[in-house]
Amino acid sequence: MAIVEVEGLNLFYTDFQALKQIDMRIAANTVTAFIGPSGCGKSTFLRTLNRMNDMIQGVRIEGKVIINGEDIYESNVHVEDLRKHVGMVFQQPNPFFKSIYENVAYGSKIHGIRKKSQLDEIVEKSLRSAALWDEVKDHLNRSAYSLSGGQQQRLCIARALAVNPQILLMDEPTSALDPISTSKIEELVQELKEEYTIIIVTHNMQQAARISDRTAFFLNGEVIEFADTMKLFSNPEDQKTEDYISGRFG
């Protein structure tokens, strides 16, 4: 069953068209990877799924982005509620200048949870889900910036999970990390899809092949091919896809 349905999506930065007539259906509890060369539109498209592009002046969107049966660009949609259901993890770890505990509890507090026992439970569950609890459980009051880069990224994942989203968007979440931290994040993604729908932008085609169920290849603002990952990498239908994954360009 599709949790995300995109129909005829076009996105413009003033006069420049960054996304062109995108149609896509993403099933729940899957990992979907977006690949393609720099500037091809994959991160721009990812940000349309929780309206992060709203903050950019001059952006105009046509078409529909339907999540759980609701067009998220309708005027009656509350963006804060949308982002509770569609969380995001960015390329660079971006913890708040707060303690580890307060980073994870932040979103729950914003949404009105104040009882300490309830916050404690949310923090522990989220850190466990992000495979970080055992490493930080005795140091929850330390600054988030005392953690390594890989730990900070898992903390940001825990922070996103704490408000119980259905969908987790990840924009090149391992590009700034060492191989060991990258491996931990990849293992985590595989575990998280049991409860969440994961959509990830990656420049690393091997990573897309390792962790995703379906892969979309973007080029010049278009989705050239969207297919089961194994098929796309082993037997692509479009010559442009073949050229990209074989290293002829990009």
Side-chain angles (χ1 to χ4, degrees):
M1 179 181 174
I3 191 171
V4 177
E5 300 174 82
V6 179
E7 301 175 1
L9 182 71
N10 296 296
L11 182 143
F12 300 84
Y13 294 118
T14 311
D15 295 327
F16 172 71
Q17 187 169 2
L19 297 175
K20 304 168 186 174
Q21 202 62 30
I22 293 179
D23 297 287
M24 186 179 294
R25 293 168 63 88
I26 295 174
N29 300 104
T30 59
V31 179
T32 300
F34 297 162
I35 63 170
S38 296
C40 67
K42 55 190 185 295
S43 290
T44 297
F45 178 60
L46 189 77
R47 291 194 297 268
T48 67
L49 302 179
N50 72 345
R51 293 184 52 170
M52 290 293 289
N53 293 313
D54 287 13
M55 296 182 281
I56 301 172
Q57 190 170 2
V59 165
R60 177 167 56 89
I61 286 176
E62 300 172 347
K64 295 182 177 181
V65 178
I66 300 166
I67 295 179
N68 284 327
E70 180 179 39
D71 185 349
I72 66 171
Y73 283 91
E74 290 288 344
S75 59
N76 63 344
V77 170
H78 295 285
V79 175
E80 295 79 10
D81 289 339
L82 169 67
R83 291 180 187 152
K84 180 181 177 184
H85 297 295
V86 186
M88 190 154 190
V89 176
F90 296 92
Q91 183 174 1
Q92 294 284 345
N94 62 339
F96 302 140
F97 284 98
K98 297 175 180 286
S99 69
I100 295 166
Y101 182 99
E102 289 298 330
N103 263 268
V104 183
Y106 180 83
S108 299
K109 287 184 175 181
I110 290 292
H111 290 286
I113 296 174
R114 292 286 183 268
K115 192 175 179 182
K116 188 175 186 306
S117 61
Q118 195 173 356
L119 289 170
D120 289 349
E121 185 178 333
I122 290 168
V123 168
E124 180 174 347
K125 180 178 184 294
S126 303
L127 288 169
R128 285 188 183 279
S129 295
L132 190 58
W133 174 253
D134 288 341
E135 297 169 45
V136 302
K137 62 184 178 182
D138 297 323
H139 314 291
L140 295 176
N141 292 321
R142 285 187 184 174
S143 166
Y145 284 86
S146 68
L147 301 174
S148 69
Q151 289 174 321
Q152 286 183 25
Q153 191 65 300
R154 281 183 283 149
L155 178 65
C156 292
I157 292 171
R159 187 176 67 198
L161 297 180
V163 294
N164 199 28
Q166 293 175 292
I167 299 169
L168 189 61
L169 310 178
M170 308 181 86
D171 193 358
E172 297 188 57
T174 63
S175 64
L177 304 182
D178 61 82
I180 292 173
S181 297
T182 294
S183 178
K184 287 183 178 180
I185 298 286
E186 290 183 3
E187 290 173 13
L188 179 57
V189 167
Q190 290 296 294
E191 294 170 10
L192 289 175
K193 79 172 184 177
E194 298 298 320
E195 293 187 56
Y196 308 94
T197 301
I198 313 289
I199 305 172
I200 182 169
V201 168
T202 179
H203 272 293
N204 185 329
M205 286 186 283
Q206 290 78 19
Q207 181 176 76
R210 284 193 298 267
I211 68 173
S212 68
D213 301 295
R214 287 175 66 77
T215 297
F217 168 52
F218 284 73
L219 184 65
N220 297 327
E222 298 180 74
V223 175
I224 303 301
E225 191 164 347
F226 181 42
D228 288 349
T229 295
M230 188 175 295
K231 180 183 183 303
L232 186 137
F233 280 101
S234 63
N235 187 28
E237 292 185 358
D238 195 289
Q239 185 61 45
K240 296 188 190 80
T241 312
E242 169 70 30
D243 290 346
Y244 181 71
I245 63 178
S246 63
R248 294 192 184 99
F249 74 92

